[in-house]
Amino acid sequence: RFRSQIENRTKVPILAEIAFQPNKTNLPIVVEEGKRTLVAEEFRELRTNLSYITFNIKDRSKVILITSSIPNEGKSFVAINTSISLCLTGSKVVLLEFDLRKPKISKELGISRNPGLSTFFIGKSTPEEIVLPHPHIPNFSIIPSGPIPPNPAELLSLDRLTQIIDTLVSTHDLVLVDCPPVLPVSDALLLSRVVDGMLVVASANTTSAGQLSRTYELLRQVHAPLLGTIL
C-alpha cells in the first residue's frame, strides 16, 4: 500500500505514484495537452523522472519496456498515457502492443489489431504496414499485436524481434513496449535483451509484496535493465 514497502523490499526506486481516478467516459486516455488534473500531473512527473534516468542511455533512441507482476495492475493504462505524455514534448513515440496473448491497447484505442506484430513475425507484414499513426495525437504511433498466435514465446526468440526494434529506433525518438506480466509468462524476460530500460507497475491493494519481490528476482536473473517501479 505504501512506497516504503516497495523500496525496502526491492531496493528499486519509485519513479511515480499514479492516483486511481474513476473515468466516467471509460476512455483510457487521461493525459491531454493543457489538461491539469491530478493524474495528468502525475504522468508529467513520471515523464520528468524518466528523462533524468534515461539521459545516460546509449546515444540513440530509447527503448523502454513496461510490465507488471500479475494481470490487472494497470500496465497498459500506464503505457498508453506515458506514451502520450512523451508525445506532448514533441518526441516521436511508437507504442508496441507486445501482450500477444491478451492484447488491450488496440481495443482501448479503437484501432484494428490486424495486421500487427504476429503477422510481421511470420513474414506476412512489413514494419511499414504495421505502424499505425494515431488519428488525433501528433507524433504518436501504435503497433498492434496482430492475431493472437499459438506460440508467442517462440515468436519472440526470432531474429525478426531485433529487426523490428532496430527499424523503429531509426525512425522514432522513443519506443515503448507494453509487455505481459512477469510471473505468468516469460515474455518480459525474453524481451529484456532488446530494451534499454524496464519499468514495473505495481497496484496498491492488488500486488502482494511477495509477488513484486519475485518479479524483481526473475528480472535480475536475466540482467534486465531495471529503471524503477510505478505505484
Side-chain angles (χ1 to χ4, degrees):
R1 295 182 59 188
F2 306 105
R3 62 183 301 152
S4 59
Q5 293 173 297
I6 296 174
E7 291 170 326
N8 292 339
R9 273 184 168 264
T10 66
K11 308 303 179 187
V12 175
I14 292 193
L15 297 187
E17 294 178 83
I18 309 295
F20 174 75
Q21 180 174 333
N23 190 339
K24 295 179 181 179
T25 64
N26 290 322
L27 293 175
I29 297 174
V30 296
V31 176
E32 297 174 22
E33 190 166 7
K35 199 169 187 177
R36 295 296 174 185
T37 62
L38 171 63
V39 68
E41 289 299 323
E42 288 168 336
F43 274 107
R44 289 186 179 91
E45 179 187 358
L46 172 58
R47 180 182 68 199
T48 300
N49 290 338
L50 269 179
S51 69
Y52 281 117
I53 64 174
T54 60
F55 181 78
N56 292 321
I57 289 177
K58 13 181 150 158
D59 186 21
R60 65 171 182 80
S61 301
K62 281 84 173 171
V63 183
I64 308 297
L65 182 146
I66 299 176
T67 188
S68 61
S69 299
I70 57 174
N72 302 315
E73 292 181 284
K75 165 183 62 64
S76 297
F77 169 77
V78 168
I80 290 171
N81 286 284
T82 301
S83 299
I84 295 171
S85 181
L86 291 164
C87 289
L88 295 179
T89 65
S91 296
K92 190 176 182 182
V93 180
V94 59
L95 174 60
L96 281 68
E97 186 178 38
F98 247 115
D99 196 337
L100 302 181
R101 294 172 180 82
K102 294 182 179 180
K104 290 183 179 179
I105 287 177
S106 51
K107 180 180 179 181
E108 297 207 348
L109 293 180
I111 62 173
S112 173
R113 213 171 67 207
N114 188 17
L117 287 166
S118 61
T119 56
F120 167 77
F121 282 129
I122 61 175
K124 289 189 175 181
S125 303
T126 65
E128 294 74 22
E129 290 172 332
I130 62 176
V131 178
L132 306 179
H134 192 280
H136 307 301
I137 303 175
N139 301 316
F140 183 34
S141 297
I142 304 101
I143 297 184
S145 64
I148 297 175
N151 57 340
E154 286 73 18
L155 289 181
L156 297 186
S157 64
L158 298 177
D159 290 339
R160 292 178 75 82
L161 171 60
T162 304
Q163 179 189 342
I164 187 66
I165 295 295
D166 288 345
T167 299
L168 296 172
V169 160
S170 69
T171 54
H172 293 79
D173 298 312
L174 288 149
V175 180
L176 269 68
V177 179
D178 176 64
C179 180
V182 172
L183 297 184
V185 293
S186 62
D187 297 27
L189 306 181
L190 296 169
L191 285 165
S192 66
R193 60 192 171 93
V194 297
V195 303
D196 300 312
M198 299 182 71
L199 301 172
V200 176
V201 176
S203 178
N205 297 318
T206 299
T207 313
S208 75
Q211 288 167 336
L212 192 60
S213 296
R214 178 59 178 158
T215 293
Y216 274 118
E217 179 184 342
L218 291 171
L219 292 173
R220 287 190 172 106
Q221 286 175 2
V222 297
H223 306 289
L226 301 173
L227 296 180
T229 307
I230 300 168
L231 176 61

